[in-house]
Amino acid sequence: MNPQKVRSRYDAVIVGAGAAGLSTALGLYRALEGNRSKSGLSPKVLVVSKLQPLRSHTGSAEGGIAASLGNQEKDDWHWHYYDTIKGSDWLADQDAVRILAEQAPGIVIELEHDGVAFSRTEDGHIAQRKFGGHTADYGGHPVRRAAYAADRIGHQILHALWQQCLHLGVEFAEEWYVTDLVVDPPAYEETGGQARGLIVLDTHAGKLQAIQADNIVLCTGGAGRLFHTTSNSWDLTGDGMALALQAGLQLEDVEFIQFHPTGLGHTGILLSEASRAEGGVLRNSQGRAFMQDYAPGHGDLAARDVVSRSIMAEIDAGRGVADPSDPDGPHDCVWLDMTGIDGQRMTALLPQVTETIHRYAHLDPTVDMVPVKPTAHYTMGGIPITDRGRVYRWQNGHRRIVDGLFAAGECSCVSVHGANRLGGNSLLDACLFGTRTGQTIAAAMTNADEPNDMTDTSPLTQALQKRQAFLDEMLAGASEAKPSEPALADDQGEASDPGDEASLNNPYALMGRLGRLMEEAVAVRCDQGSIEKGLRGLDQLDADAKQLRAHSETAVLNQEVTAIMEVDNLLTLARAVLNASLQRQESRGALYRSDYPQRDDEHYLAHTMIDAKEKVSWQPVHIVNMPPKGRNY
């Protein structure tokens, strides 16, 4: 899939090849095809991915994509709109949520036309299931809104979008790693600056290259690897968000990290919300179905932040259970009881959940209860964007657009999730706003009288030289590095001694230390003491990261090289998360501060906007027609 030669300049470069990146590419190409009679131009577009696209994390999404199709019972996009705002704890921008809810059915139908093999009702319509927080009649009974493909919807969407991109001739550079985003600072106060290009590492050749682009789209996914226990794949290291910070831009609402309630005990592997939608029940050590105590109206299908905190409350009260694989270990799980689901139904509708439990827990969910605990799952915040995908700076109470820079998907924040995301809305966000971003770029290309002035390449040249010097220093240290092999992925769960010389020159061990630090600091609940302790711990990790050197003198196919840069990205992002959490002195959605347990709309009904210098400013939430009120399930 790699092009024979990556050019030095493109009309557009899309970074990331998950649902958001592929949807952006498709939206761009299809819009240009519709406008071809106007322009007659063939655009030069490149999708850069540090993975082969079909390994993107989108493929692990299991339960469904939300849309008020009403195929199995009455539904209305206005109800979806309300549920998303309520789920966000009133921190979502309501104008953006309206777009999400109103256009969701069209996106799902378009995905069906693109080849997504949805599960079907008996009369042939797209099947839908209940999902946490999705209701009828503005908070009434749970409604079937999540369109699904057994429990493999992400796999289906990723493959269908990729095949459509191949059909249209989209150009991919696979296993290329973006190391730097180059953005000119604002020329005057009313502007947000100009994106110039990217520095990329071709891991196959081990060589850096500068790429100019009129339009750059960041679609790099989330940052679950901030935490030790996560449902995210190994590659979700917050690269796009860190690139933005390092380029002098801001991030929005990064203190809100969603923990999915049902991670398989001590692995973090996701057991889809569909397992509860189909009849699974959470139970404590006494066998009690405890969620009715915390959310009497919705029980096990309350919003994810509510369920995660409820699980932790049961564990804190001494009603947790041990993982059967470690019966003498900590009682830090609860049971997921799926034994009430018919075996044939479970096999048909939850094949991936069933296989995961068999393979990794060695249990049979038709007869055994399964240990689960909250696992880091989704970053609600990210790079601030408009509803057309344009990245902006928040300056002096105004949004200042960064020309030529866009973002979509989990690395971005159009603010449809606010403080807590509802299940099924992430795939919808990625596909819908990715498509809109591609269409926006296509319109700009079609209407442009002439290409952007990119004659001044000095910022890119300087960035390339700086990154090359960093790479040379990293590889030169190989002769001084100890001959021991770097830790394998499976070893990161073992506690490493920070003073051990091997662990100090090991990016994977450092990631493991960071994950444990972040879990102690802000996982599910936190307070000022835990956050400040985390910040002090980051100082030591930053110092250790500066000593990292490769164990091989070549950059060719050297995963340790990219791992060291991923460590830098994670540490950059971790500091922003902790500082934003410290500044928000309230509890809202996924952020629960035990020292400030109540929501405070008077002071904090606003988005945090934080930069790499740890400066936090506040952007008001867009309230349209749903004023804040109590949030009960």
Side-chain angles (χ1 to χ4, degrees), residues 317-389:
R319 295 187 288 270
V321 302
D323 187 331
S325 65
D326 184 18
D328 298 325
H331 289 225
D332 59 353
C333 299
V334 296
W335 295 124
L336 174 62
D337 181 5
M338 299 170 60
T339 59
I341 306 174
D342 177 76
Q344 289 185 334
R345 181 176 179 82
M346 192 184 298
T347 301
L349 297 183
L350 302 170
Q352 191 161 309
V353 169
T354 305
E355 181 183 351
T356 297
I357 293 169
H358 279 301
R359 177 173 294 182
Y360 296 102
H362 309 293
L363 297 170
D364 180 354
T366 62
V367 295
D368 298 318
M369 291 198 289
V370 181
V372 295
K373 64 182 295 187
T375 180
H377 184 60
Y378 191 86
T379 47
M380 266 76 72
I383 304 165
I385 60 171
T386 69
D387 61 33
R388 283 290 176 182

Side-chain angles (χ1 to χ4, degrees), residues 363-565:
L363 297 170
D364 180 354
T366 62
V367 295
D368 298 318
M369 291 198 289
V370 181
V372 295
K373 64 182 295 187
T375 180
H377 184 60
Y378 191 86
T379 47
M380 266 76 72
I383 304 165
I385 60 171
T386 69
D387 61 33
R388 283 290 176 182
R390 295 184 180 276
V391 175
Y392 64 86
R393 301 176 191 264
W394 179 252
Q395 293 178 327
N396 302 321
H398 296 279
R399 292 182 173 187
R400 307 299 190 192
I401 299 297
V402 181
D403 290 334
L405 187 60
F406 301 79
E410 192 175 349
C411 75
S412 70
C413 183
V414 68
S415 199
V416 289
H417 308 306
N420 175 71
R421 176 178 67 78
L422 292 189
N425 275 354
S426 60
L427 289 172
L428 175 59
D429 171 11
C431 294
L432 193 160
F433 288 103
T435 300
R436 287 170 65 90
T437 299
Q439 292 168 344
T440 302
I441 296 171
M445 287 182 179
T446 302
N447 297 326
D449 295 328
E450 57 186 32
N452 291 337
D453 177 18
M454 302 284 278
T455 55
D456 181 11
T457 61
S458 57
L460 267 177
T461 301
Q462 292 169 11
L464 178 61
Q465 291 171 345
K466 184 177 179 180
R467 182 56 65 179
Q468 186 65 59
F470 172 85
L471 182 61
D472 292 343
E473 182 181 0
M474 187 197 311
L475 296 174
S479 59
E480 303 168 10
K482 297 294 180 182
S484 58
E485 290 293 324
L488 296 174
D490 291 343
D491 295 336
Q492 81 154 342
E494 300 297 323
S496 59
D497 179 4
D500 178 72
E501 191 170 352
S503 71
L504 287 178
N505 193 31
N506 187 326
Y508 304 105
L510 200 151
M511 285 185 194
R513 290 165 56 196
L514 173 63
R516 286 184 285 274
L517 178 149
M518 291 296 288
E519 292 206 345
E520 292 175 5
V522 290
V524 183
R525 63 265 167 111
C526 61
D527 58 30
Q528 181 172 337
S530 71
I531 297 169
E532 290 179 342
K533 182 180 177 182
L535 285 167
R536 291 192 298 272
L538 276 185
D539 292 337
Q540 181 60 55
L541 293 181
D542 281 336
D544 292 344
K546 288 181 172 62
Q547 307 305 314
L548 292 174
R549 298 294 183 271
H551 287 74
S552 169
E553 295 181 356
T554 178
V556 176
L557 298 175
N558 188 342
Q559 291 186 347
E560 195 176 19
V561 168
T562 52
I564 290 171
M565 289 187 279

